[in-house]
Each structure stands twice: as structure tokens, then as C-alpha cells.
């Protein structure tokens, strides 16, 4: 079944939102004295239809992110049906169960929510199987999610366990350690959180020069994150609108 396309009004709305977000990013980079190509824009399409993702692809926004495996697996196929010639690059955010690793290994280019040795090992094995089965051609890029408030409900590796996870990821044959990710804790000062993440990022990069990505900043705080060295902002609401409450 072919998914339905976005209405012209919806496409226009997304185009206007994307222009706004790009302008915000350009101003934030300018204020931080950084070139705008330093920061990639990851469009978070979770809860929104494949048609919206197709509009983003039409607008040149090819870096797309999803959070739930089941929703994502279906949407990846729908987007491929809507835009067979586009080459979206799919990222996984959010808590990932180990039994979903094999599915994700078929279509994900990157996972930013790796927060435990067990999940890392499951992904490494799953990607190894997918490579052998000819379901993918490249290793999986991974960012390690750091918990800046040690709230287990929000995911993320506790800071004290990070070094061990970094070393394991750097040595895993089927994943490429690309850097760190964090969500600013609710109610905390985002500046302090992003500054803390930047220090951890520097430490990681010193040991593993290829791990130079810092994924921080969302719709509400992307300027703060860019100021603190973010190389990847994850934007949902500002591009596609408010999500229904889960
Ligand atoms: C949903 C989500 C986002 C997008 O947040 P917005 O505030 O809608 O921009 C960013 N990061 C993660 C980890 C998410 O789950």
C-alpha cells in the first residue's frame, strides 16, 4: 500500500519551519564564531507520518531520526516507497531494547542512544549479521548517550561508567564510535549540562580522534548547545509541530 502524500499546505508549513530552523542555526553558529557546516541538523520525525519525512527529503533535509523501532521500521519502508530515489540517512534516538537490534541493523545508519555494554554488544552482533546477510554495506555509526542527571528513566550511561563504554565501542568491529549524545535534564540549567557534556566529549576525542561528534540541543535549546560545541542538533517540534502526548 502506497502511503499518502502531504498536502501542499503541509509541505509549505514544513518548508517555512525548516527555513526558520536553518536561520536559527546560522545565527547560533555566527554568535559562537563557528562555521554553519559544523553543525548538522537531524530532523526528528517520530510520531509524524512518512509523508512529512518525504517533504523534508524534498527540501534537502536527508538526516532523519526516529525513536521507536516498530514505528521506525514501518516508516523507513513507507518513505522508500514515496521517494525511491532519495537517500535518507536514518538515526535511532531513544531507548532501544536489545531484541530490536537485529531490526534496526537492517536500516539504521546511526544509533545515538547507546548507553550500556549490553546494548552495544547486541548492536555490534546484529550489524555483523546484517553485513554478512548483505542487508547493509557499512558499519553502524554510534554515539554514546550520557546521563547528565543519573535519572534512569531518561536513559543514558552514568558518567562514571562512560570510559568503559567508550573503550568497548572503540574496539567493536561492526560499529564506528562517532561521539557522545545527551539530553539536557529537565529543570536544570542547559548551559551547565552542555558544558559538562563538552568536557566529556573532549576527553573522549583525546583518546579516540574519530569520536568528534557532540549531539546536543533540541527545538528549545539548540542555541545554547551550539555555543557549547554541539555538532548535531536534534529538532522535531520546531520543524513538524507539537507531538501528541504519548
Ligand atoms: C524527540 C527527541 C528530540 C526532538 O525534540 P524536540 O524538542 O521536539 O525538538 C530530540 N532528542 C531526542 C533524544 C528525542 O527523543
Amino acid at each position: 500500500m502506497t502511503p499518502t502524500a502531504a498536502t501542499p499546505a503541509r509541505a509549505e508549513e514544513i518548508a517555512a519551519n525548516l527555513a526558520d530552523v536553518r536561520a536559527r542555526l546560522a545565527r547560533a553558529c555566527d554568535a559562537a564564531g563557528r562555521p554553519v557546516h559544523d553543525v548538522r541538523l537531524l530532523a526528528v520525525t517520530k510520531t509524524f507520518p512518512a509523508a512529512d519525512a518525504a517533504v523534508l527529503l524534498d527540501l534537502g533535509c536527508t538526516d532523519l531520526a526516529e525513536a521507536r523501532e516498530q514505528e521506525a521500521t514501518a516508516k523507513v519502508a513507507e518513505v522508500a516507497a514515496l521517494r525511491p530515489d532519495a537517500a535518507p540517512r536514518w538515526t535511532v534516538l531513544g531507548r532501544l531494547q536489545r531484541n530490536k537490534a537485529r531490526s534496526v541493523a537492517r536500516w539504521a545508519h546511526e544509533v545515538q542512544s547507546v548507553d550500556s555494554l549490553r546494548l552495544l554488544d547486541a548492536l555490534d552482533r546484529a550489524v555483523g549479521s546484517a553485513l554478512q546477510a548483505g542487508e547493509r554495506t557499512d558499519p553502524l555509526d554510534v554515539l554514546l548517550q550520557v546521563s547528565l542527571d543519573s535519572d534512569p528513566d531518561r536513559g543514558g550511561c552514568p558518567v562514571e561508567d562512560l570510559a568503559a563504554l567508550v573503550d568497548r565501542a572503540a574496539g567493536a568491529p561492526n560499529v564506528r564510535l562517532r561521539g557522545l549524545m545527551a539530553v539536557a535534564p529537565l529543570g536544570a540549567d542547559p548551559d551547565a549540562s552542555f558544558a559538562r557534556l563538552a568536557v566529556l566529549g573532549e576527553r573522549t576525542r583525546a583518546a579516540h580522534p574519530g569520536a568528534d561528534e557532540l549531539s546536543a540541543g533540541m527545538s528549545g535549546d539548540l542555541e545554547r548547545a551550539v555555543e557549547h560545541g554541539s555538532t548535531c542538533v536534534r529538532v522535531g517540534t520546531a520543524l513538524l509541530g507539537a507531538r501528541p502526548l504519548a
Side-chain angles (χ1 to χ4, degrees), residues 10-193:
R10 177 62 173 157
E12 262 176 53
E13 181 185 8
I14 295 172
N17 289 346
L18 178 61
D20 283 347
V21 169
R22 287 203 168 128
R24 279 176 66 189
L25 258 183
R27 277 196 303 273
C29 286
D30 199 43
R34 303 177 58 198
V36 72
H37 62 251
D38 254 21
V39 186
R40 79 185 152 112
L41 172 60
L42 189 56
V44 184
T45 51
K46 68 184 181 201
T47 78
F48 290 98
D52 285 356
V55 170
L56 286 165
L57 290 174
D58 294 343
L59 295 165
C61 192
T62 54
D63 227 346
L64 307 178
E66 283 287 324
R68 289 205 317 274
E69 179 275 333
Q70 219 179 3
E71 177 190 347
T73 299
K75 202 178 298 178
V76 167
E78 287 176 0
V79 171
L82 283 170
R83 295 292 183 276
D85 298 326
R89 188 176 184 285
W90 290 101
T91 289
V92 174
L93 306 169
R95 308 216 87 173
L96 182 62
Q97 288 170 338
R98 280 174 296 143
N99 63 4
K100 302 293 163 55
R102 193 62 183 85
S103 166
V104 159
R106 293 196 177 91
W107 52 262
H109 298 79
E110 176 174 327
V111 175
Q112 292 201 351
S113 46
V114 177
D115 61 358
S116 72
L117 294 171
R118 279 151 51 107
L119 176 57
L120 176 69
D121 290 346
L123 283 169
D124 189 49
R125 273 195 308 273
V127 171
S129 303
L131 285 166
Q132 255 186 346
E135 294 165 346
R136 63 182 299 131
T137 54
D138 293 313
L140 179 74
D141 284 349
V142 301
L143 271 65
L144 306 178
Q145 183 176 352
V146 187
S147 169
L148 296 172
D149 61 356
S150 305
D151 176 351
D153 286 347
R154 304 194 78 209
C157 172
V159 170
E160 58 270 26
D161 298 339
L162 183 61
L165 189 55
V166 164
D167 286 344
R168 181 87 126 240
N174 302 308
V175 309
R176 252 187 320 236
L177 174 63
R178 293 292 292 111
L180 304 183
M181 182 273 246
V183 180
L186 283 172
D189 168 18
D191 278 305
S193 303

Side-chain angles (χ1 to χ4, degrees), residues 182-184 194 215-223 225-226 230 232-235:
V183 180
F194 294 145
S215 173
M218 322 200 299
S219 292
D221 57 14
L222 67 89
E223 286 85 358
V226 167
S230 172
C232 174
V233 293
R234 311 176 303 266
V235 180

Side-chain angles (χ1 to χ4, degrees), residues 188-221:
D189 168 18
D191 278 305
S193 303
F194 294 145
R196 185 137 182 255
L197 179 68
V199 170
L200 296 169
E202 251 166 65
R203 212 174 283 166
T204 304
R205 197 169 56 234
H208 306 284
D212 57 359
E213 282 242 45
L214 218 49
S215 173
M218 322 200 299
S219 292
D221 57 14

